[in-house]
Amino acid sequence: MKVMKKINNNIALCVDDHHRELIAVGTGIGFKQCPYEIENLDTIQRTFYDVDPMYYNLLNEISVEVLEVAARIVDIARLKIESELSPNVVFTLADHINFAIERIKKNIHIQTPLYNDIQHLYETEFNLGETAVKMIQQSMKVKLPKGEACNIAMHFVNAETISSISRQMPNSDEVIEEIIEMIGAYFQIHIDRNSFNYSRFVSHLLYLLKRQDKADSISSENRTMFVYVKEQYPKTYECVLNIRDYLMNEMNWTLNDEELLYLMLHINRLCARADCHR
C-alpha cells in the first residue's frame, strides 16, 4: 500500500495494490514525506473505500478515537439494517458524535420530544442508538444523555430515507437554494456548494422540510435553550426569522420555536466553518 497524501498525522489518502484509492487510519502514517510505501500493514487500523473527497477536511476536525467508535457502530448497523448504507455514513456519524460530545462539554442539553415515537416506529435503529451510546461511553468516557440514542437512531433513519426526499418534494432544490442564498447574503459569506459542511447543512434542511411536508411539527420542549440561543446569537435569530417568513409566504409552512432553534444551531455551525468565506 502506498501513502499518496497526508490528511493529518494519523490519516492518509492511499492507493492499494489494485490501484484503488482509499483512506487509511494508522498511528503516524502521515508523518513521513509522501509518497511512500507502507512496509508493515499491521500499522493500519482502518481502511475506508469509495469515500467522497468532500469528507477529507472533516477528518481534521474529529479525533481518531471518535472515528473508530463510529466505524464500529456502523459495522454493527450494516448487520442489522437491511438497506444499503453509504460508504460515507461512518464520517457523517462521526461528525454527529463529535457534535454531541461538544454539546455535552458546553453543557448544552436538548430534549428529544419524539423519543417514544422513534423507540416504537424504528425499533432496529433505536436499538442501534442505545448500543451506540453505550459504546461511546465505554470508548470515550463521555456519558451522553438518554435522548442521544434517539438522535443516533434518526441519523440512520435519515441515511436510509434522505435520498428519496427530493423525489417526494419536486421543489425542494429550489427551496433549499433560496434558503442558502438568504444565509449567504445575510452574513455576507460565500458558502462552498462542493463542501462537506454544505452537504451536511442541506441534509438538516431536508429533514426539516420532510417534517413540514408531512405536517409533523413537534411541540417545543426546549424553551430555555431557545431563549438562550436567541439572546446569544441575535443576528442568527434574525436570519432564521427571515427563513421562517419565506417558508410561510412560499410554502404556507409554520416553524415552531423548536424548529427555529434547530435552524439556529445548524446555521451557526455552517457559518463558523472554514469553507464559508467572508
Side-chain angles (χ1 to χ4, degrees):
M1 183 185 295
K2 179 180 287 188
V3 176
M4 304 303 295
K5 182 181 179 181
K6 170 184 176 178
I7 293 179
N8 60 45
N9 288 339
N10 302 308
I11 304 176
L13 178 66
C14 302
V15 173
D16 67 14
D17 293 340
H18 301 287
H19 307 291
R20 291 186 64 197
E21 197 172 83
L22 67 139
I23 295 294
V25 179
T27 303
I29 66 170
F31 274 122
K32 294 184 181 180
Q33 184 174 352
C34 300
Y36 76 90
E37 290 283 347
I38 298 177
E39 297 178 359
N40 182 10
L41 292 180
D42 290 340
T43 61
I44 303 300
Q45 301 165 7
R46 281 273 182 181
T47 58
F48 303 97
Y49 284 85
D50 302 318
V51 179
D52 192 314
M54 74 166 62
Y55 294 92
Y56 292 171
N57 287 336
L58 171 67
L59 295 172
N60 287 315
E61 300 178 17
I62 59 177
S63 67
V64 171
E65 291 77 16
V66 169
L67 184 61
E68 173 59 25
V69 73
R72 289 194 285 116
I73 292 167
V74 172
D75 286 343
I76 296 172
R78 292 191 195 281
L79 298 175
K80 302 287 187 181
I81 295 176
E82 294 181 2
S83 303
E84 183 178 354
L85 295 176
S86 163
N88 300 309
V89 69
V90 172
F91 305 101
T92 57
L93 179 60
D95 180 62
H96 177 92
I97 293 170
N98 198 54
F99 193 34
I101 292 174
E102 286 180 7
R103 289 201 305 268
I104 290 299
K105 290 179 178 179
K106 295 177 181 178
N107 200 32
I108 297 176
H109 301 280
I110 299 177
Q111 298 295 323
T112 312
L114 293 178
Y115 186 92
N116 291 329
D117 292 338
I118 292 169
Q119 184 178 14
H120 293 101
L121 291 173
Y122 302 104
E123 185 176 352
T124 299
E125 291 83 356
F126 184 83
N127 289 338
L128 277 170
E130 288 189 314
T131 299
V133 168
K134 292 176 183 176
M135 291 171 65
I136 292 165
Q137 183 171 351
Q138 292 170 355
S139 300
M140 308 294 300
K141 309 303 179 187
V142 176
K143 186 174 183 180
L144 298 179
K146 180 180 177 183
E148 194 56 43
C150 171
N151 295 333
I152 292 174
M154 285 308 300
H155 176 88
F156 285 112
V157 171
N158 289 342
E160 294 174 72
T161 63
I162 204 75
S163 63
S164 67
I165 295 176
S166 293
R167 293 193 299 271
Q168 297 169 5
M169 296 177 57
N171 61 341
S172 62
D173 288 344
E174 296 176 11
V175 173
I176 288 169
E177 182 58 29
E178 182 64 27
I179 291 174
I180 293 294
E181 288 289 340
M182 291 171 67
I183 294 169
Y186 191 84
F187 290 100
Q188 296 186 319
I189 57 176
H190 168 70
I191 300 172
D192 184 358
R193 264 66 165 179
N194 296 316
S195 70
F196 165 68
N197 297 314
Y198 169 79
S199 176
R200 172 174 52 196
F201 183 73
V202 168
S203 293
H204 290 301
L205 272 183
L206 283 170
Y207 176 58
L208 184 65
L209 297 179
K210 176 186 174 185
R211 290 162 53 88
Q212 285 286 330
D213 194 47
K214 295 173 61 179
D216 194 26
S217 297
I218 52 179
S219 58
S220 178
E221 295 184 12
N222 292 316
R223 183 65 189 174
T224 301
M225 180 57 61
F226 171 75
V227 172
Y228 172 79
V229 175
K230 172 183 171 182
E231 292 176 350
Q232 290 294 311
Y233 302 99
K235 280 185 66 68
T236 306
Y237 179 63
E238 289 177 9
C239 181
V240 164
L241 290 183
N242 290 339
I243 294 171
R244 180 198 64 182
D245 293 343
Y246 164 74
L247 290 175
M248 169 60 78
N249 293 332
E250 296 295 323
M251 312 293 293
N252 198 29
W253 287 348
T254 303
L255 301 183
N256 62 27
D257 285 353
E258 185 146 20
E259 289 159 339
L260 295 178
L261 170 62
Y262 180 91
L263 264 179
M264 281 192 286
L265 291 174
H266 290 294
I267 288 175
N268 278 346
R269 197 176 189 205
L270 174 71
C271 294
R273 299 295 167 163
D275 54 7
C276 290
H277 306 297
R278 296 186 183 277

